[in-house]
Amino acid sequence: MERGNGMRAVDLILKKKNGGVMSKPEIEWLVDGFVKGKVPDYQMAAWMMAVCFQGMNPQETGALTDVMMRSGGMVDLSALPGVKVDKHSTGGVGDTTTLIVAPLVAACGGTVAKMSGRGLGHTGGTLDKLESVPGVNVEIPMERFFEIVKEIGLCVMGQTEGLVPADKRMYALRDVTGTVSSIPLIASSVMSKKLAAGADAIVLDVKMGTGAFMQTLPEAQALARTMVEIGAHMGRRTVALVTDMNQPLGMAVGNGLEVREAIELLAGKIPSGDPLYEVSMLLASHMLLLSGLAKNEAETRAKLTQALTSGAGLQKLGAMLRALGGDVRCIEDPDSLCIVEKKIPVALGAAGYIAAMRAEEIGVAAQLLGAGRATKEDHIDPAVGLVMHKRQGMHVAADEPVATLYVNDPAHVEEAAALVRAAFTLSQEPPASMPMVYDVIS
Ligand code: URA
Ligand code: CA
């Protein structure tokens, strides 16, 4: 059992369990000890469970974030020109905004040097989406990443091995000890990675609803405020949106399918008013504001609309895919990304208005078809998943397909179709329409 500086892990667990406030040296001792293997998993897990019940004040959460951020190597982006702006979504379904906003922001003169992760469970990961384009390699050396950003204004790469090892180990433990859903633990996990990745400005998209970590607006706002305060305290311009995850953000759920949808949006084929369009525009808008490239939202809207209609945004996406070794024929022919053996329509067998369309079930259905991993070792089929045909609030006939499954392996088709059906709640009256964006916190 680890002790040092007169500290013992059991005393720190008891302190938090009894509602005490941890000092920064105490948090540092615990996290450092854990990363070095001196504080065992069971004591870290017990402490994190105490944090779940007792919470942490802003000083404690800030200290935890700082200690986690410095637990490994940090990225210095200062050699790159301009304000480096990053974005992060807290795990959505059908959320392909990175592949839309990074090219749009770059097309408007911004600099996006971004590290992304892989998908796990029912939420997708940007790296897996990028790899659905033949030839793309996201595990590039840091020098190449800098070159690409200098040349075209954007690059998304895989998070480097040594970035925030404390989070890697803590998250693995949280996942299996029921300690994921804690605002200070989520905020420090997300922000330690964003801060270590080096951006000057950060736009966060906090999801709220049935498919998200935060299921109510007050909880989502509290998480958003906590992360914005951490960012500000660390000298980074930070803004958080709270957006809806009571239905998938885009219509496509699956890797190649989501890249196709991003290409279609950047090609001007998805209209304003669509949730993916609106949330992407708002995220990009705040990224431009934080970058100092526009004075107000009217100006960012004008610039972004120009980047869309001129095709400049789509050109940036193509340039990045090419720089990563990708075959860019998909820009002209996005259907090539989702060629499957079978497309299977799913109808509900009942008519009514769509009152709810739970994102989590839909995400799990896509995962079952092979679009996502249950464990880190699972293989992903880039072409499979599903495309929704309806939005919350729309009317649907009994035999009308609400989704189409894109299938290569027939093994879990029945289960996936059943999950899609179970995701829907119908009502006989038109339901109240749900907002796409609940709050902007800066
Ligand atoms: N995403 C993260 O990176 N960490 C969390 O704790 C939750 C979501
Ligand atoms: Ca995440």
Side-chain angles (χ1 to χ4, degrees):
M1 214 171 291
E2 170 70 356
R3 57 186 307 170
N5 296 338
M7 284 192 219
R8 295 193 310 163
V10 63
D11 295 328
L12 302 185
I13 295 165
L14 283 167
K15 185 172 187 179
K16 186 39 78 183
K17 178 188 160 202
N18 294 324
V21 173
M22 317 270 307
S23 70
K24 182 153 184 187
E26 286 172 335
I27 292 172
E28 191 156 25
W29 181 87
L30 193 67
V31 172
D32 279 356
F34 175 62
V35 172
K36 291 186 181 123
K38 292 179 185 165
V39 171
D41 284 2
Y42 53 83
Q43 287 187 308
M44 195 61 184
W47 181 76
M48 292 194 293
M49 184 60 86
V51 170
C52 284
F53 283 110
Q54 294 291 1
M56 296 211 288
N57 71 24
Q59 284 70 37
E60 292 175 289
T61 309
L64 177 60
T65 308
D66 188 52
V67 168
M68 288 172 71
M69 174 186 82
R70 289 186 288 98
S71 67
M74 287 165 60
V75 181
D76 179 1
L77 296 177
S78 59
L80 293 167
V83 176
K84 275 70 73 182
V85 62
D86 197 352
K87 74 144 280 252
H88 181 83
S89 299
T90 61
V93 175
D95 179 348
T96 184
T97 51
T98 292
L99 298 181
I100 298 165
V101 304
L104 284 176
V105 168
C108 294
T111 304
V112 185
K114 182 168 172 50
M115 298 200 167
S116 279
R118 296 192 179 276
L120 191 61
H122 73 278
T123 63
T126 302
L127 296 186
D128 300 317
K129 294 173 200 176
L130 284 168
E131 285 178 349
S132 71
V133 175
V136 162
N137 173 23
V138 292
E139 319 280 351
I140 54 172
M142 194 56 85
E143 305 79 62
R144 181 66 190 133
F145 177 67
F146 274 69
E147 269 173 26
I148 297 173
V149 177
K150 273 188 187 146
E151 202 179 301
I152 63 176
L154 82 155
C155 190
V156 177
M157 73 176 277
Q159 186 179 304
T160 48
E161 241 338 272
L163 204 78
V164 195
D167 179 64
K168 220 166 271 173
R169 298 205 49 198
M170 286 166 73
Y171 198 88
L173 206 46
R174 285 166 61 204
D175 214 16
V176 293
T177 57
T179 51
V180 168
S181 61
S182 151
I183 287 174
L185 295 183
I186 295 174
S188 55
S189 164
V190 170
M191 290 305 288
S192 61
K193 285 177 288 193
K194 291 289 108 183
L195 294 164
D200 307 307
I202 303 159
V203 177
L204 301 159
D205 181 7
V206 177
K207 305 292 189 188
M208 192 282 272
T210 55
F213 290 114
M214 300 289 124
Q215 314 230 322
T216 68
L217 185 54
E219 282 178 309
Q221 285 167 320
L223 175 60
R225 262 195 300 276
T226 302
M227 293 197 288
V228 167
E229 278 164 17
I230 293 170
H233 186 71
M234 303 296 270
R236 317 289 175 94
R237 304 174 207 174
T238 311
V239 169
L241 313 184
V242 178
T243 66
D244 184 65
M245 195 36 69
N246 285 302
Q247 62 180 342
L249 181 59
M251 292 297 215
V253 186
N255 297 286
L257 290 161
E258 291 183 46
V259 176
R260 177 174 74 172
E261 195 173 26
I263 291 170
E264 285 171 347
L265 199 148
L266 289 170
K269 290 179 184 152
I270 293 177
S272 64
D274 170 85
L276 182 61
Y277 179 103
E278 293 301 332
V279 170
S280 296
M281 288 299 255
L282 193 60
L283 285 167
S285 175
H286 283 284
M287 289 168 80
L288 290 179
L289 288 171
L290 293 188
S291 302
L293 292 166
K295 285 190 282 298
N296 52 47
E297 224 178 301
E299 214 177 292
T300 61
R301 283 275 159 168
K303 283 187 188 225
L304 290 166
T305 306
Q306 170 65 18
L308 259 183
T309 53
S310 66
L314 187 57
Q315 231 164 22
K316 286 290 182 193
L317 178 62
M320 178 177 78
L321 293 173
R322 192 179 305 112
L324 292 171
D327 178 344
V328 293
R329 278 177 292 183
C330 64
I331 297 286
E332 296 299 324
D333 179 19
D335 289 343
S336 65
L337 297 172
C338 17
I339 295 169
V340 290
E341 283 168 25
K342 267 200 186 130
K343 294 181 192 174
I344 302 170
V346 179
L348 298 179
Y353 291 94
I354 298 169
M357 195 166 147
R358 282 171 295 278
E360 182 168 0
E361 277 92 332
I362 292 166
V364 175
Q367 182 194 331
L368 281 173
L369 295 172
R373 301 178 181 82
T375 71
K376 269 190 278 200
E377 288 70 35
D378 279 358
H379 168 74
I380 278 185
D381 182 337
V384 303
L386 55 93
V387 175
M388 313 293 300
H389 304 305
K390 295 287 173 183
R391 288 288 193 190
Q392 194 264 344
M394 288 181 175
H395 189 270
V396 61
D399 58 351
E400 195 181 1
V402 291
T404 297
L405 310 183
Y406 280 60
V407 178
N408 277 329
D409 174 0
H412 298 288
V413 169
E414 284 315 313
E415 214 181 327
L419 265 170
V420 169
R421 286 188 207 102
F424 284 80
T425 306
L426 295 179
S427 69
Q428 292 320 305
E429 301 298 318
S433 74
M434 272 188 294
M436 295 177 242
V437 178
Y438 296 97
D439 204 354
V440 178
I441 291 163
S442 58

